[in-house]
Amino acid sequence: MRIRVGLAGWSNPPDKRVERNSDQTHLAYYAAHFSCVEINSSFYRAHQSATYARWRDATPAPFRFSVKMPRSVTHESHLKRCAAEVARFYEDIAALQPKLTAVLVQLPPSLEFNRRTVRTFFNSVPRLRGTRVVCEPRHPSWFTSSVESLFRDIGVSRVAADPARCPGAEVPGGARRFAYFRWHGSPHLYYSKYSQAQLAAFAATVSKAKATDTWCVFDNTARHAAWDDALTFIAALRTPPAMTTIF
């Protein structure tokens, strides 16, 4: 198993910024500590290909990116009649190759599962070489054996999230060769720091995941808890007898 650990965004905590070299960007300093990052800003606004290329070139060769699908696709269009916008998005993020690993499709909690819509949308999503598609549904209707089978058929991995909004959401699903964990902070979303016991439990869960490649993304970034949580989690993963390669 290969495991990558990173954050949702690369903003440096205030106490880390004093350690950064004067000519070092937030991203460059971040990439010296973590092996991957989830670009969340793409959810709120479009970035030009040149911007993605600049980010690609600012990181070491082994570094990898995931990118979040725009909210206009997921939260406004609800995956319908958005093929042109998705195509433009993929044209831009292609500039991240060969460092682009995943595209994250996070859905609103109110969006119920519709088989035709889901199959049509994901079958129409461009598939860039070496890039996976992962989905984070948040409505209970998505957590059934039927949806699991569909995700496997269309090659989409389902995110494992904390806190889990419904039973089953805490474990990865769908296409199992690629597992994607997103930890948002609990009990206060995006703010709360995890305890050492919780991080050790996450490490045990991840180590048992039946996946070739695994990403672990900390999204509790509002007050920079994610940075220390990620480092503590990496240390927990390295506790014997971990049979993994950790980046």
Side-chain angles (χ1 to χ4, degrees):
M1 183 191 297
R2 294 184 293 270
I3 300 176
R4 289 184 183 271
V5 181
L7 280 55
W10 55 76
S11 178
N12 303 162
D15 63 329
K16 305 297 181 183
R17 295 171 192 172
V18 297
E19 302 174 5
R20 201 173 65 226
N21 295 333
S22 59
D23 61 344
Q24 198 173 28
T25 65
H26 279 243
L27 177 56
Y29 181 81
Y30 172 95
H33 292 79
F34 301 103
S35 62
C36 66
V37 73
E38 180 185 282
I39 300 175
N40 268 195
S41 57
S42 55
F43 179 73
Y44 300 101
R45 62 185 183 278
H47 299 300
Q48 296 181 347
S49 296
T51 300
Y52 286 117
R54 185 174 72 252
W55 292 338
R56 177 200 64 206
D57 294 342
T59 55
F63 192 84
R64 293 295 181 265
F65 293 87
S66 68
V67 188
K68 195 171 181 180
M69 186 77 74
R71 63 179 172 183
S72 55
V73 171
T74 57
H75 288 55
E76 296 171 15
S77 296
H78 292 167
L79 310 182
K80 299 178 181 178
R81 296 179 290 278
C82 52
E85 184 174 1
V86 171
R88 288 193 299 272
F89 172 68
Y90 267 82
E91 287 175 3
D92 291 334
I93 66 173
L96 286 169
Q97 289 184 301
K99 296 181 180 179
L100 178 61
T101 293
V103 173
L104 169 65
V105 181
Q106 185 192 51
L107 303 177
S110 60
L111 186 61
E112 296 185 36
F113 173 75
N114 179 284
R115 178 171 293 273
R116 176 178 294 181
T117 298
V118 171
R119 183 178 286 278
T120 299
F121 174 78
F122 284 107
N123 281 340
S124 68
V125 167
R127 298 300 173 100
L128 298 177
R129 184 176 181 179
T131 303
R132 283 95 167 190
V133 178
V134 295
C135 181
E136 185 178 9
R138 292 184 286 176
H139 188 277
S141 60
W142 291 76
F143 297 88
T144 68
S145 59
S146 176
V147 177
E148 279 292 290
S149 296
L150 175 60
F151 273 153
R152 287 195 295 270
D153 288 345
I154 60 180
V156 173
S157 299
R158 179 175 55 72
V159 166
D162 182 86
R165 290 176 175 265
C166 50
E170 73 282 1
V171 295
R176 296 296 182 88
R177 291 186 63 188
F178 184 65
Y180 199 101
F181 291 83
R182 296 188 86 220
W183 296 313
H184 303 289
S186 179
H188 301 296
L189 284 173
Y190 315 123
Y191 287 89
S192 290
K193 182 178 178 65
Y194 286 108
S195 68
Q196 287 195 343
Q198 287 173 305
L199 294 170
F202 287 160
T205 298
V206 168
S207 297
K208 296 175 183 177
K210 296 179 180 179
T212 304
D213 293 289
T214 299
W215 273 48
C216 304
V217 176
F218 285 86
D219 189 32
N220 52 338
T221 56
R223 290 181 180 166
H224 303 289
W227 190 287
D228 288 340
D229 276 358
L231 293 178
T232 302
F233 173 74
I234 290 171
L237 278 176
R238 287 179 171 151
T239 301
M243 301 297 291
T244 59
T245 300
I246 305 166
F247 292 89

